[in-house]
Amino acid sequence: MIVCATPRCGGTIFCLEKARETGNSFVGELSPGYIKGLGRYGDLKMANHETGYQPEFELDDFLSHLQQVQSPHKIYLINESVSLALPLSSFRIATRNLPRAFRSMADLVIRSMPGNNPDAVYRIAAHSCRAQLESNILITRYSQMTGKSLVYYEDIYRSKGEYPFFDAFSQRERLEQFFGQLTRIEGEKLSQR
């Protein structure tokens, strides 16, 4: 089973809950970023995410999982480069409130990179938020076009609403301006029907 979700919109929690509900195995986020010794994330999600859940894959195990994504007994989360996974997805999760998701992502990036140069942190946060925008637009529009169901984060989860690392970040205002640009892009893309 594949769950496509906009990052920071409850995808991991949703998959963990589905695993408990169904008895299926939640494998984790299927991203090359979590391949041991190769991936750019390593154990960052395990160390910094609210759930503390994300295994790192051996290369061959990761490639084996690619052959099993349609297994009815395994749950895979895809929230990066969702486009090819959307037609195979059982669930799609997006948000109506991207600015909240952007702040949540920025908060996660900032707390994951203590002591790093603020410009470097800004660039990584901005890149991550751009990826959120892409996922959210693709998931939302795909669901609209195909008539497949769409789960909105706000309908099933409640945001903590506090982002202390983001609020204290020296480049917070710069990020807020960038979020405004991304929000305008989302509005333009989703209103062009």
Side-chain angles (χ1 to χ4, degrees), residues 2-193:
I2 295 175
V3 175
C4 286
T6 300
R8 303 303 293 159
C9 290
T12 303
I13 294 169
F14 183 88
C15 290
L16 288 166
E17 290 171 352
K18 275 290 170 212
R20 280 192 294 276
E21 174 187 312
T22 63
N24 294 334
S25 171
F26 175 39
V27 177
E29 187 179 333
L30 196 59
S31 165
Y34 297 108
I35 297 173
K36 283 184 185 172
L38 175 65
R40 64 191 177 279
Y41 301 133
D43 67 352
L44 281 175
K45 188 170 181 179
M46 296 266 309
N48 295 289
H49 192 271
E50 295 82 359
T51 64
Y53 183 83
Q54 177 58 50
E56 283 188 87
F57 303 102
E58 294 295 338
L59 177 60
D60 290 353
D61 289 337
F62 179 84
L63 294 171
S64 293
H65 281 296
L66 294 177
Q67 302 299 317
Q68 301 173 41
V69 294
Q70 291 187 296
S71 167
H73 306 292
K74 294 184 179 184
I75 302 171
Y76 296 95
L77 174 60
I78 309 289
N79 62 13
E80 285 185 357
S81 305
V82 299
S83 52
L84 293 178
L86 279 168
L88 303 173
S89 62
S90 299
F91 295 95
R92 289 146 302 281
I93 304 170
T95 183
R96 292 183 187 100
N97 186 353
L98 259 179
R100 181 226 39 97
F102 293 151
R103 289 180 190 98
S104 179
M105 176 62 78
D107 194 73
L108 177 64
V109 168
I110 295 162
R111 77 173 177 254
S112 299
M113 301 182 69
N116 282 283
N117 175 300
D119 285 328
V121 175
Y122 169 85
R123 283 192 302 277
I124 292 169
H127 176 77
S128 298
C129 292
R130 179 67 191 209
Q132 284 178 292
L133 170 75
E134 292 164 359
S135 291
N136 206 63
I137 289 172
L138 289 170
I139 292 167
T140 303
R141 191 68 188 118
Y142 176 81
S143 296
Q144 291 169 342
M145 287 178 66
T146 62
K148 291 185 177 181
S149 63
L150 176 63
V151 175
Y152 282 106
Y153 169 86
E154 295 81 5
D155 292 345
I156 57 175
Y157 300 113
R158 186 177 168 143
S159 171
K160 64 182 177 180
E162 296 178 12
Y163 307 105
F165 292 88
F166 172 68
D167 290 340
F169 184 52
S170 63
Q171 298 208 22
R172 177 182 180 269
E173 288 305 316
R174 185 176 173 202
L175 278 171
E176 287 284 8
Q177 289 175 358
F178 183 65
F179 299 165
Q181 294 170 5
L182 297 180
T183 302
R184 282 190 292 280
I185 292 169
E186 181 198 34
E188 291 168 6
K189 290 296 178 191
L190 292 180
S191 66
Q192 296 176 355
R193 295 190 261 153

